[in-house]
């Protein structure tokens, strides 16, 4: 199942480069804390959980066990159902937007555009994985897993008052599959969507019995208004869902666009008569009257705006700033407060590091990629630049139960041995280990090993420059970014790479050019982030599958084409028990690590700072901080602020 889309962790964008921020964040939200549509939260499930329930109408779904909330639940436990409505929050975005149409690949849309839309299901934030009906009042999965039927709520309506119909769902599904490479891959085993009754829509699947999550994940995509997109604009021109536009679109969600200035600002306003405001999944949520976004291309400028009170929220992705940057008057007197949330570490696994474009011949040899790993002095980086705030990422699934450890055993070992396309032999004999640096002795040892591997791969140093002996060309690498603040971190890495003879450069482009170059795979290396669900499934094909590697706009940004990886993805998708899913994911994690597709870097809890005008119900849900969805404007706190 999809967890966070690989592009988003927060509206500030993460100036440290922890993100590959892409335009799909418009549909997702503010990291795992958004509690918004199209952001399913997956998590730990026990191997003893009951099987997916089929054959009867249900109010909620869970892949391997019962949902927490009964059919008659009033609201989620972590919300304040009596939270006051009012106030606003102003946040920054690290790029300029030029479209309000989330469907086509071209164009950059603003964050939280998903606030305008609804999905069939919405997720709970205090369960490992459960989804409950939003647009759908009930859902029924066939006993043989060949189809699923969603029953829409008759009162569900667009902001113009027209009802949301099964025809809207069918058209939206077909539109997303046509124009979104990611969803085309994600839903490739969904063969048809059709209106099966007055309020019912049925999805049929190519497979029966071996793809347990299809019936759940088709409840995740945003439903779009067919009648509006097939109509005409104010000038009488027919709208085109395949093109970018700054015309404010029609929605159905808890917010709509109040004001938009192209590339400069967008304001969402709460819809007082939102059709779903009294649903159990909605009570206590969507409390702020307005949500503002202003683009700041530089995080330093963004932080200065926050200190001046022009922004209410700042997601701090720089360790130095988090440790030393809050000595200004408002923070000292308590008008600005800092929060550290560990929920994101529990809710997802994350791989963050320097990623290689495997389509480039220079990175085709695993030994070369390992040499780059050996050159990274994480311990020195963490100590010198990051105040020892971070710890090293050792798995694509972080520190969760899905992370591989030691050498493969039991069912995982059986799966790896059964592969038609063999995994690296080393993984059967010893654990995958990251190089340890931090001292001159260790650094020299690692660089010697890196030099040995480069030599084995046909690369030698001539006149202090690493040269490909077959082509007599220097080994040059460009790190691409849209974040100027990344230069300091890259310069630290550059020192070690230069000692290996690698000509390493850092190039900053504007966000539009950056995302376009990612879409067309025009880069050497990037700061790569992949956020993983704790209930992985069909989305893995889009992340790592060979079929997605050369499809422009796909999420296989690295260009991985590995038959063993493809086999393991199929094993994950077809898993019939949690134990089998965990074992197959361990195997995939291990194969990804041993192939050195990424130089892993670091992770840490979520750090946010706020002007002290907001409150929430304690304790926060286990898997999300819930901002801004379940927080509310606290008028008493707001009046106490002296600034």
């Amino acid at each position: 199942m999809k967890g966070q889309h690989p592009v988003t962790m927060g509206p500030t964008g993460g100036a440290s480069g922890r993100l590959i921020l892409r335009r799909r964040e418009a549909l997702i939200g503010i990291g795992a804390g958004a509690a918004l549509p199209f952001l399913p939260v997956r998590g730990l499930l026990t191997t003893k959980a009951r099987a997916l329930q089929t054959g009867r109408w249900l109010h909620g779904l869970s892949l391997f066990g019962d949902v927490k909330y009964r059919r008659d639940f009033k609201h989620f436990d972590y919300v304040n159902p009596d939270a006051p409505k009012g106030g606003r929050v102003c946040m920054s975005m690290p790029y300029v937007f030029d479209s309000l149409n989330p469907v086509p690949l071209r164009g950059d849309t603003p964050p939280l555009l998903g606030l305008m839309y609804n999905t069939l299901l919405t997720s709970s934030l205090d369960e490992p994985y459960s989804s409950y009906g939003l647009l759908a009042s009930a859902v029924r999965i066939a006993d043989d897993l060949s189809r699923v039927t969603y029953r829409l709520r008759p009162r569900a309506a667009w902001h113009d008052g027209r009802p949301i119909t099964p025809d809207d769902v069918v058209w939206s599904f077909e539109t997303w599959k046509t124009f979104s490479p990611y969803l085309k891959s994600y839903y490739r085993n969904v063969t048809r969507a059709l209106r099966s009754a007055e309020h019912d829509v049925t999805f049929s699947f190519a497979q029966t019995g071996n793809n347990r999550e299809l019936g759940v994940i088709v409840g995740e995509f945003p439903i779009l208004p067919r009648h509006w997109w097939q109509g005409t604009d104010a000038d009488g021109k027919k709208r085109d869902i395949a093109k970018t536009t700054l015309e404010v679109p029609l929605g159905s969600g808890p917010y709509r666009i109040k004001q938009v200035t192209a590339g400069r600002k967008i304001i969402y306003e709460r819809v007082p008569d939102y059709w779903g405001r009294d649903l159990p999944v909605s009570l206590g949520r969507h409390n702020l009257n307005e949500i503002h976004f202003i683009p700041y291309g530089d995080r330093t400028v963004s932080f200065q705006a926050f200190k001046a009170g022009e922004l209410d929220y700042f997601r701090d992705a720089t360790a130095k700033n988090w440790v030393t940057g809050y000595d200004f008057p408002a923070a000292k007197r308590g008008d600005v407060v800092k929060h550290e949330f560990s929920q994101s570490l529990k809710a997802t696994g994350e791989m963050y590091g320097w990623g290689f474009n495997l389509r480039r011949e220079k990175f085709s040899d695993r030994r070369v990629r390992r040499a780059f790993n050996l050159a990274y002095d994480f311990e020195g980086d963490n100590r010198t630049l990051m105040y020892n705030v971070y710890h090293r990422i050792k798995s694509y699934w972080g520190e969760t139960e899905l992370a591989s450890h030691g050498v493969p055993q039991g069912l995982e070992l059986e799966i790896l041995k059964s592969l038609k396309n063999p995994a690296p032999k080393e993984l059967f004999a010893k654990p995958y280990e990251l190089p340890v640096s931090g001292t001159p002795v260790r650094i020299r040892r690692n660089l010697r090993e890196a030099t040995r591997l480069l030599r084995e791969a046909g690369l030698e140093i001539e006149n202090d420059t690493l040269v490909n002996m077959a082509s007599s060309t220097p080994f040059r690498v460009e790190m691409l970014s849209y974040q100027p603040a990344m230069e300091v971190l890259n310069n630290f890495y550059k020192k070690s790479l230069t000692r290996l003879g690698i000509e390493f450069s850092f190039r900053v482009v504007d966000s539009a050019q950056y995302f376009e170059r990612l879409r067309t795979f025009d880069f050497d290396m990037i700061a790569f982030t992949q956020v993983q669900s704790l209930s992985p499934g069909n989305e893995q094909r889009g992340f790592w599958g060979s079929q997605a590697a050369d499809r422009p706009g796909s999420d296989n940004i690295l260009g991985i084409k590995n038959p063993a990886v493809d086999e393991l993805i199929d094993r994950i998708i077809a898993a019939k028990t949690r134990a089998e899913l965990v074992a197959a994911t361990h195997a995939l994690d291990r194969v990804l690590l041993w192939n050195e597709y990424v130089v892993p870097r670091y992770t840490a809890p979520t750090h946010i700072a706020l002007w002290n005008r907001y409150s929430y119900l304690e304790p926060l849900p286990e898997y999300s901080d819930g901002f801004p969805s379940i927080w509310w404007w606290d008028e008493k706190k707001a009046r106490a602020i002296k600034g």
Side-chain angles (χ1 to χ4, degrees), residues 531-585:
V531 179
Q532 283 284 6
S533 160
L534 299 189
S535 188
N538 289 267
E539 79 287 347
Q540 302 299 309
R541 287 175 175 156
F543 295 166
W544 325 114
S546 297
Q547 290 187 344
D550 295 323
R551 188 172 62 235
S554 86
D555 288 296
N556 188 351
I557 295 171
L558 303 178
I560 295 173
K561 290 182 180 179
N562 186 326
V565 169
D566 294 334
E567 283 189 72
L568 290 169
I569 291 172
D570 289 341
R571 289 297 297 263
I572 288 173
I573 293 171
K576 291 181 172 58
T577 66
R578 180 66 183 178
E580 185 178 351
L581 178 68
V582 171
T585 306

Side-chain angles (χ1 to χ4, degrees), residues 411-457:
L411 182 55
E412 181 195 356
L413 181 59
E414 292 179 24
I415 291 172
L416 287 166
K417 286 184 175 180
S418 70
L419 295 177
K420 297 177 182 178
N421 300 279
K425 294 180 180 179
E426 301 96 321
L427 65 77
F428 291 99
K430 58 183 179 180
Y432 177 81
E433 294 181 351
L434 291 167
V436 177
S437 293
T439 67
V441 172
R442 289 172 176 170
I443 291 171
R444 287 194 297 270
R445 178 196 63 197
N446 289 339
L447 291 179
R448 282 196 298 269
E449 175 64 10
T451 299
R452 184 186 69 80
L453 291 174
L454 292 171
R455 187 175 295 117
E456 286 184 2

Side-chain angles (χ1 to χ4, degrees), residues 509-523:
V509 297
D510 63 65
S511 61
Q513 183 180 354
Y514 178 79
F515 299 139
E516 177 62 19
R517 289 184 63 172
L518 287 192
R519 190 185 75 83
T520 58
F521 312 125
D522 181 17
F523 65 91

Side-chain angles (χ1 to χ4, degrees), residues 73-106:
F73 82 100
K74 303 302 182 184
H75 56 78
F76 292 132
D77 289 346
Y78 50 81
V79 304
N80 174 7
D82 300 317
K85 307 294 184 182
R88 54 91 169 152
V89 63
C90 186
M91 298 181 281
S92 68
M93 53 187 290
Y95 62 94
V96 175
F97 65 90
D98 57 10
S99 178
L100 298 176
N101 181 5
V103 173
L105 279 174
R106 293 189 179 276

Side-chain angles (χ1 to χ4, degrees), residues 314-327:
F314 185 75
R315 177 164 181 147
D316 204 324
T318 303
K320 179 181 180 180
N321 196 70
W322 184 249
V323 174
T324 67
Y326 292 84
D327 59 351

Side-chain angles (χ1 to χ4, degrees), residues 245-490:
T245 180
L246 285 170
E247 181 185 12
V248 174
L250 177 70
S252 65
Y255 287 84
R256 61 190 168 211
I257 295 176
K258 175 183 180 180
Q259 177 185 332
V260 60
T261 304
R264 295 183 59 188
K265 187 174 186 177
I266 185 167
I267 300 175
Y268 300 98
E269 64 175 355
R270 186 174 59 84
V271 179
D273 59 350
Y274 166 51
W275 70 268
R277 64 188 182 279
D278 296 324
L279 293 176
V281 296
S282 297
L283 284 178
R285 298 174 58 197
H286 318 308
N287 301 313
L288 298 176
N289 276 351
E290 293 185 355
I291 300 175
H292 300 216
F293 277 99
I294 301 173
Y296 285 91
D298 186 282
R299 71 159 309 280
T300 302
V301 177
S302 176
F303 185 61
Q304 293 303 316
F306 172 74
K307 290 167 61 177
E310 296 173 18
L311 299 174
D312 303 297
Y313 171 105
F314 185 75
R315 177 164 181 147
D316 204 324
T318 303
K320 179 181 180 180
N321 196 70
W322 184 249
V323 174
T324 67
Y326 292 84
D327 59 351
F328 54 95
K332 289 180 178 179
R333 63 176 179 258
D335 290 346
V336 166
V337 292
K338 297 165 67 178
H339 296 274
E340 180 174 293
F341 297 119
S342 61
Q343 282 89 341
S344 60
L345 300 178
K346 299 178 182 179
T348 57
E350 178 189 28
M351 173 52 72
Y352 163 60
W354 282 292
F356 304 99
N357 186 352
L358 302 173
R359 304 167 191 86
R360 301 279 166 93
E361 178 63 27
K362 69 181 78 175
F363 299 125
S364 61
D365 194 309
R366 181 161 61 106
R367 293 168 296 189
V368 171
R369 303 193 296 269
R370 179 65 179 181
F372 273 78
N373 199 339
L374 287 159
Y376 178 42
D377 176 13
F378 165 75
E379 289 74 18
D381 192 357
N382 195 30
R383 181 182 64 251
T384 305
L385 300 178
M386 300 180 292
Y387 289 75
N388 286 319
V389 168
Y390 300 127
H391 60 270
R392 192 88 188 262
I393 293 177
K394 299 179 181 179
S395 163
Y396 283 78
W397 274 268
E399 299 174 2
T400 71
E401 69 163 351
L402 295 177
S404 58
H405 299 283
V407 294
Q409 298 177 352
L411 182 55
E412 181 195 356
L413 181 59
E414 292 179 24
I415 291 172
L416 287 166
K417 286 184 175 180
S418 70
L419 295 177
K420 297 177 182 178
N421 300 279
K425 294 180 180 179
E426 301 96 321
L427 65 77
F428 291 99
K430 58 183 179 180
Y432 177 81
E433 294 181 351
L434 291 167
V436 177
S437 293
T439 67
V441 172
R442 289 172 176 170
I443 291 171
R444 287 194 297 270
R445 178 196 63 197
N446 289 339
L447 291 179
R448 282 196 298 269
E449 175 64 10
T451 299
R452 184 186 69 80
L453 291 174
L454 292 171
R455 187 175 295 117
E456 286 184 2
L459 298 162
E460 295 278 359
I461 294 180
E462 292 185 352
N463 299 321
D464 297 325
T465 299
L466 191 67
V467 175
N468 184 314
M469 302 308 293
S471 62
S472 299
T473 57
F475 195 95
R476 297 188 175 98
V477 175
E478 178 185 86
M479 180 75 74
L480 184 68
S481 179
Y482 68 101
Q483 299 272 11
M486 280 287 290
E487 185 168 11
V488 174
L489 300 175
N490 281 278

Side-chain angles (χ1 to χ4, degrees), residues 58-62 66-71 73 76 78 119-127 129-137 139 150 153 219 280-281:
L58 301 168
H59 72 291
L61 292 174
S62 182
D66 291 325
V67 295
K68 172 182 176 180
Y69 295 95
R70 299 170 61 90
R71 184 179 295 273
F73 82 100
F76 292 132
Y78 50 81
T119 48
L120 294 169
L121 301 176
T122 190
S123 59
S124 164
L125 302 181
D126 60 348
E127 296 174 82
Y129 164 63
S130 289
S131 290
Y132 298 87
L134 179 56
L135 277 177
S137 62
V139 55
Y150 285 87
R153 301 181 192 272
V281 296

